[in-house]
Structures are given as structure tokens and as C-alpha cells.
Amino acid sequence: RREALRQAFTTEDDVTAELATVPPALERGRLRLPDAVNAVVRDWFTLLRLETVQTPVAGRGREARSELPRPPSAAAMHQAGVPVRDVPYDRVARFWRSELLVDPDDGPLPDLVPLLEEGHGTQVIVARIGDPSGGRDCSDRPVAAAFTVHGVPFIFVNAAQPVALQRLTLAHAFAHLVLGHGDTVDGRLHWSRNAPLEAAANDFAEEFLAPVRAVRRWYERRARTHAPGVDDLLALGNAFGLTAWTALYRTRAALDPGPKHVQALRSELHRRERRLLARQAFLGGLRDTLSYLTPDATAHPGACGGPAVLHVPAVMRRRALAAVEHGRLSLEAAAAMLGRTPAALGAELALLGLE
């Protein structure tokens, strides 16, 4: 990384200062984020600074380096604001669907990752987090995090979870951002109503992913508004990108089938829980960036492979490409920042005409 930065910065002191630069939120360690996530955030800001560096003007020496105007930050759309209170959170979720140019009462949502990155300016990081002891278990906590560094909103999602849970935790983390909950790290999703911020984020996430009116219309089209079964829950989950359990909660909100029927569905889900993910994956369903990054949707969380950064924010890819094109970043350094091997990145750049 030092060698890569020497290409771009004027003096060795500049390089050392850049390597030592750590966003305050990460430096204090108050978020307790995985090291892989911290590294992506540092690289995000390094690439931003590299974007402001011009190639030296011939004959004027390295001191001729000039600063380009900083591009408008995607985070300009993000307003942390005051925590949203005394407002039905499902209504806030419909508002944000509308703000992101999605019908507030229809579903399912399009691909969540580009929707949040391009529509809201949230920088999404998807990574499998490895076992701190060096083992192969990548199901270790946290499952998600939402935080802001220098005004830029970030969301981290642990890809060790099944895809449907990744979608829910991504929407849950987005709720923490827009509801003004401050920086949060979720070791797991809490469903207790005794945790007000978690309950608010869950209410938002469920309506954001599957609005009640859309779920009701879905059942009406299938003529299954009375006594839906577990197979209906799986079909609903696949249509909206939900787990079977979340599909049950959405069904209860949309149809109100009665406590006895809900309890019967709960018992059936508990009985069949170990096979539900495999059955749901076999039936097919919503395909998006998260499902592309986690192709084995049925794998046990502890068997999903070694730790890896699977997705960095799209703006990092654009900045890294520009830096490589202008000779400000080596192929090896760019590959490390983007979570690729130099050979794989070189092959991709060759297709773009960059040898």
C-alpha cells in the first residue's frame, strides 16, 4: 500500500500521513467493527483523496501537483437529523420507498444494494467475517452495522447469513440511518418490543421490503386470503425476498388470519425450520446482488467459506479505475482495495483496453 501511495503523493511524509489517517469513528474503536470493514472504509477515503490528485505537469516538478475540486459527495443526500419519534414507522418506510422512486405500496423492491448506493448515497459493504481464532467459521457476529464517517453513511452486512436474512439486515441497518439512531452495530436482530430502537428498525424494514398493501394484493391474486399455509409463506418470501418467518409476520399484518391460525403456522415453521431454507432456495425467487454474492443460499452459516470482502461500494470501483488509468495507483494496490486478485483485476481491465 505504501508503494502504491508513493505514486500519488508528493513526499514520503505525505505517504506516512496518509497511511496513518484513520477516520475518527474507527480510531476510537467505539463501533467495534471487523478489521475487514475498517480497511474498506479507510480505502474509501484514500481513493477519495487520490481522486483530487493531478498528474504532475511536465517541467514543473512534483510540486506542480494541484487539487481538483472535490466531487459532490453522495452523502449529501443523507441527513442524520433528529431521531424519528411518535410516527408510525411503517409510514416512514413508505416515505423512503417514495423518496427512492419506488411505489410506496407496491413490491417487491428492486435490487437493494444499488438502490441504496445510487438512490440514497449509502456506501454498502458486504463481507464474510472469519473466525477470530483462525478457523473457517464465518458466522461470527456482527450481522450488520450502520455508521457515518465524515458525513458519509456506511452499511456493513455479514454475508455469512442466508441471503433472505442479508436483505432484512440491510433494510434494518438502513432504518437505523434514516431514523436517526446514530452509529449502531447489530450482533444479531432483536425481535423484542422491549428494545425500542430495534423494534422501530424492524417495523421499518418489514414495511420497506414488503408493504402490507402489496402483500394483501399478492394473496388476493392467488385467491389465498383465507388460511394460508407454509407453502404460501415460502412463495411470499421468494416473491419479496424474505425469510419464511418474516413472511409470516407480513401475512399476519396483511390478512389478520387469527391467533389460532398464526400459532399453527408458527408450530409448523418450528417443526420444518431446518429444511425451510433449502426448500425456499430450490423453489427459486428474487435474484439480486446479494444472491449473486452468496450463490449457495442453502449452506449452513458456518460452512459458507473463508473470510472475504465480497462487495465494496460502487464509487470505490469508479475511483480505483480512474486512479489506475491515470497512473496514480498500481494494479496490485487497486486489487487489494477492491477485494480482487491482481490477475483477476488485470483481466477485467484488459477487457476495457487497459493493459
Side-chain angles (χ1 to χ4, degrees):
R1 193 171 179 214
R2 178 179 290 274
E3 291 301 319
L5 294 176
R6 279 177 177 150
Q7 303 172 32
F9 290 92
T10 305
T11 67
E12 192 67 22
D13 288 341
D14 291 336
V15 175
T16 301
E18 179 66 23
L19 289 170
T21 298
V22 180
L26 304 180
E27 186 177 34
R28 290 193 292 272
R30 58 189 173 89
L31 295 179
R32 297 184 180 178
L33 293 169
D35 290 342
V37 177
N38 288 341
V40 173
V41 176
R42 292 188 184 98
D43 289 341
W44 194 98
F45 285 98
T46 296
L47 287 170
L48 174 63
R49 284 185 280 274
L50 284 176
E51 192 172 45
T52 66
V53 178
Q54 281 188 333
T55 304
V57 179
R60 296 182 58 187
R62 300 187 66 171
E63 291 73 21
R65 182 192 63 160
S66 61
E67 297 294 326
L68 296 174
R70 173 178 274 202
S73 171
M77 299 178 63
H78 170 70
Q79 299 293 331
V82 179
V84 177
R85 301 183 188 279
D86 301 325
V87 175
Y89 298 109
D90 56 348
R91 184 180 301 174
V92 181
R94 289 194 295 274
F95 164 79
W96 274 104
R97 284 177 66 102
S98 178
E99 285 292 294
L100 295 171
L101 304 182
V102 179
D103 191 314
D105 294 322
D106 201 4
L109 282 175
D111 195 339
L112 266 181
V113 172
L115 178 69
L116 297 185
E117 287 189 343
E118 298 170 13
H120 182 261
T122 295
Q123 308 302 305
V124 179
I125 302 167
V126 182
R128 290 194 303 259
I129 305 305
D131 185 350
S133 65
R136 298 285 290 177
D137 186 356
C138 57
S139 61
D140 206 29
R141 299 175 181 179
V143 298
F147 54 98
T148 302
V149 181
H150 295 324
V152 180
F154 288 87
I155 287 179
F156 154 67
V157 176
N158 191 344
Q161 308 173 93
V163 175
L165 275 176
Q166 291 180 45
R167 293 191 190 103
L168 182 63
T169 53
L170 179 52
H172 179 99
F174 180 60
H176 283 313
L177 282 178
V178 299
L179 296 179
H181 292 169
D183 296 341
T184 60
V185 176
D186 289 310
R188 63 184 179 86
L189 292 187
H190 297 270
W191 294 99
S192 171
R193 307 304 293 187
N194 294 325
L197 297 186
E198 294 302 302
N202 288 335
D203 290 346
F204 178 103
E206 289 183 9
E207 183 70 11
F208 187 66
L209 293 174
V212 164
R213 294 180 185 176
V215 172
R216 187 179 301 119
R217 284 198 299 270
W218 184 88
Y219 273 110
E220 289 170 352
R221 286 195 296 269
R222 293 170 58 93
R224 295 290 294 172
T225 54
H226 298 289
V230 170
D231 285 342
D232 296 309
L233 299 182
L234 293 180
L236 176 67
N238 276 345
F240 287 85
L242 311 171
T243 65
W245 283 101
T246 305
L248 170 61
Y249 302 144
R250 292 284 80 196
T251 298
R252 181 177 62 184
L255 302 182
D256 191 18
K260 288 186 178 180
H261 189 69
V262 170
Q263 184 56 44
L265 288 174
R266 285 179 182 273
S267 300
E268 184 69 6
L269 288 181
H270 277 298
R271 187 178 68 81
R272 298 171 58 181
E273 192 163 21
R274 299 186 68 176
R275 296 181 181 272
L276 284 178
L277 280 175
R279 185 176 181 84
Q280 188 172 3
F282 178 79
L283 293 174
L286 191 150
R287 304 294 295 176
D288 59 2
T289 295
L290 294 174
S291 57
Y292 169 76
L293 295 172
T294 317
D296 192 356
T298 64
H300 184 276
C304 62
V309 175
L310 303 181
H311 173 83
V312 299
V315 69
M316 289 182 65
R317 297 194 293 275
R318 175 179 62 77
R319 289 171 177 161
L321 175 61
V324 171
E325 282 185 305
H326 292 90
R328 297 195 294 266
L329 194 64
S330 69
L331 177 68
E332 291 74 18
M337 290 180 174
L338 300 181
R340 289 173 166 83
T341 64
L345 181 59
E348 291 182 55
L349 296 181
L351 293 176
L352 303 178
L354 301 175
E355 300 295 340

